[in-house]
Amino acid sequence: MSRPRALITGAGSGLGRALAHRYARAGYDIAVAELLTERAKTVVDELAAHGGSHFAVEVDVGDDASVEAMRDTVRAHWDGFDVLINNAGVASAGSIADSSLDDWRWVTNIDLFGVVRGMKAFAPMFQTQRRGHVLSTASFAGIAGAPGIASYGVAKAGVVALSEALRGEMALFDVKVSVICPIFFKTNLLETARSPNAKFIGVAAKLMDNAKESADDIADYVFKAQQRGDFMIIPTTTERIRWRVKRWFPELYFRELMKLARKTMARSG
């Protein structure tokens, strides 16, 4: 019996790397897609401990031709696969008044259009094989409506809406779709983050440092939720409660959000 297969973008570090290890432990062969080839190769070497056959593929999800080249490389290795995780992304912060349009274009091109490119590249394959699961990493920022991260939140909200649309389209072909909405956790996402004010990055860094969950914790929750067939995957209990409060009591949610925002900004100095 052949092993299941998963393609994960941004799998050279952070959540992508943790997901690669979690799926490999579960018996999947992994295509480690990453902008930095050496990182991808390092993860492939690590995955050898789990058995199976894994390979690295270079991709810049912000570039049409690069995603198409990734698709062709994957096709050369596999005649199809089971799980696509559009995980690659970047971070941005800053107020709407202060953030540059260049930063908006940068984060939406990678975080939103990068997912569009991944979906478009492989949607025909999933439709033809009439099986599989497409997951995309958004963020609780795409749900929260929090101040100070509008460009990032809008890009991630787009991933949620995009996943909802794809879910409806793929249901006709028996293909499942999920969207992952984690809150801050320990990762290296801020390595390339952009902001007009270093204070916003500092706030994010503190929230990451104080997070109880690691990338491995998030990956484990995502794997189990994907196996259950969940659509909206919110890995942390507090955020699952906040999501429900926002849906049922939006004004209460907003008041509590602003209390938390003021407290967080005050602590950051």
Side-chain angles (χ1 to χ4, degrees), residues 74-148:
V74 172
R75 283 178 176 174
H77 280 80
W78 294 337
D79 56 1
F81 60 94
D82 305 276
V83 175
L84 167 64
I85 306 182
N86 296 300
N87 172 75
V90 293
S92 60
S95 70
I96 294 172
D98 294 336
S99 296
S100 71
L101 290 177
D102 283 343
D103 284 357
W104 276 84
R105 294 185 186 99
W106 174 74
V107 72
T108 53
N109 180 53
I110 295 171
D111 285 7
L112 176 54
F113 280 92
V115 176
V116 173
R117 292 180 183 101
M119 289 180 174
K120 187 170 179 59
F122 294 104
M125 180 204 76
F126 282 109
Q127 291 173 348
T128 298
Q129 67 185 24
R130 301 189 73 90
R131 63 177 176 82
H133 204 135
V134 179
L135 299 92
S136 300
T137 300
S139 168
F140 194 74
I143 301 170

Side-chain angles (χ1 to χ4, degrees), residues 153-235:
V154 167
K156 294 301 188 178
V159 174
V160 175
L162 178 63
S163 298
E164 289 176 334
L166 186 72
R167 185 189 188 190
E169 294 177 3
M170 286 300 188
L172 303 174
F173 298 91
D174 298 319
V175 175
K176 295 181 179 179
V177 174
S178 298
V179 62
I180 308 165
C181 297
I183 193 67
F184 292 104
F185 60 95
K186 295 178 178 65
T187 182
N188 60 351
L189 182 64
L190 298 182
E191 281 184 1
T192 57
R194 294 186 182 185
S195 175
N197 187 332
K199 183 176 182 178
F200 289 106
I201 302 298
V203 170
K206 287 183 180 179
L207 290 170
M208 286 184 175
D209 289 341
N210 294 331
K212 297 178 181 178
E213 295 81 15
S214 67
D216 290 334
D217 295 329
I218 301 299
D220 186 59
Y221 187 95
V222 169
F223 176 80
K224 292 173 181 175
Q226 182 262 314
Q227 296 293 300
R228 292 193 301 265
D230 295 358
F231 169 69
M232 180 71 75
I233 301 176
I234 304 176

